[in-house]
Amino acid sequence: MLQPRTYPELLGKALTFDADPFIVMVDDDEPWIEGLFMTVLIGILAGGAQIIGGWLLTLSMPPSDAVLEAVLRMWRISAGSLNPALLLETEATIRNGWDWVGFVTGYGGGWGRLMLLITTPLLLLLQWATYGFVGHGIARMLGGQGALNRTLGAAGLIVAPQVLVLVKIIPFVSLSNVLLIVWSTLIAYRALEVAHELPWRRAIIAAVVPPIFFLLIVGGLVSVIATTLIFRSV
């Protein structure tokens, strides 16, 4: 097993597509365990950084109640001709929506943001499993000879771009999710090329398919959750 203190060097080299860290992961005595542990560790760190950054952002903003009252005041001015009963009903809807936003974002004291410590590692685990299993299957279909165990080990390095998420500890700093997915896909290409000793053209094909599956799965989960919340609120 590798020592966690070696992770920064491995992840840093993976970001530049150096073959050495992938070889190290493939040659580990338990590659899939190494990939799993690395994914969870980076997920927890990335989730923690987002929580702290969000908390600092909340401290720098006006009080939640004051912002809500300003929103309601603007609504009353713009909708002054509405039926009083309808106006009150709309205000109640705005207040409920604001409470939900406060819970999810932490603005106003909600604890929903702490879920990032769970959702971030889970999403990265889903990404790792998708890139590992689907990528392995496609690579074998294209003539790759690598074992699944080694593919999962090398695929653990696709979390390397998530190190950039640590900058979100600084308020108002944002990071493109598209950039992270594209960078992870390029790292997956290198991982499959090394783990399966594939020519670069076949490695590209094997690396492009997993993110499509990943986005479809995440999109499906988001749709199910959104539909559930809508029906519960009706």
Side-chain angles (χ1 to χ4, degrees):
M1 291 288 290
L2 299 173
Q3 295 298 319
R5 65 173 179 270
T6 65
Y7 287 178
E9 180 181 0
L10 293 175
L11 294 170
K13 288 183 176 180
L15 287 172
T16 62
F17 314 115
D18 190 323
D20 289 346
F22 300 98
I23 295 173
V24 170
M25 294 294 285
V26 166
D27 291 340
D28 189 74
D29 52 353
E30 291 291 349
W32 76 271
I33 294 179
E34 204 69 61
L36 175 65
F37 181 74
M38 180 180 290
T39 300
V40 173
L41 177 61
I42 297 301
I44 293 174
L45 292 176
Q50 293 178 80
I51 289 173
I52 295 174
W55 178 67
L56 293 175
L57 175 62
T58 299
L59 290 179
S60 67
M61 296 178 67
S64 174
D65 292 341
V67 175
L68 174 59
E69 288 306 316
V71 171
L72 291 174
R73 191 177 303 114
M74 292 176 61
W75 166 249
R76 294 186 192 110
I77 294 173
S78 62
S81 60
L82 287 180
N83 180 285
L86 180 59
L87 185 62
L88 289 175
E89 182 180 347
T90 305
E91 286 189 13
T93 301
I94 293 174
R95 290 182 183 276
N96 290 334
W98 190 263
D99 290 340
W100 173 249
V101 171
F103 171 75
V104 173
T105 64
Y107 189 37
W111 295 96
R113 188 184 288 124
L114 292 178
M115 290 297 294
L116 287 169
L117 282 177
I118 299 174
T119 57
T120 302
L122 284 178
L123 281 174
L124 290 183
L125 281 173
L126 178 61
Q127 182 188 43
W128 169 70
T130 303
Y131 277 71
F133 286 100
V134 176
H136 173 77
I138 301 297
R140 290 301 295 256
M141 290 173 59
L142 295 173
Q145 300 299 317
L148 176 60
N149 190 22
R150 295 186 172 187
T151 303
L152 291 172
L157 291 168
I158 66 174
V159 298
Q162 295 295 325
V163 174
L164 302 177
V165 176
L166 298 180
V167 301
K168 286 189 174 183
I169 199 172
I170 304 173
F172 300 104
V173 172
S174 61
L175 195 62
S176 170
N177 290 325
V178 174
L179 170 65
L180 296 178
I181 292 175
V182 171
W183 209 334
S184 294
T185 302
L186 292 174
I187 293 175
Y189 150 74
R190 195 65 163 142
L192 293 169
E193 182 187 40
V194 172
H196 287 270
E197 299 180 359
L198 283 172
W200 68 270
R201 289 183 180 84
R202 296 183 181 182
I204 288 176
I205 296 173
V208 168
V209 176
I212 297 175
F213 274 83
F214 175 71
L215 291 175
L216 288 175
I217 293 172
V218 172
L221 289 174
V222 171
S223 298
V224 170
I225 293 173
T227 302
T228 302
L229 292 175
I230 290 173
F231 275 107
R232 284 186 176 181
S233 62
V234 173

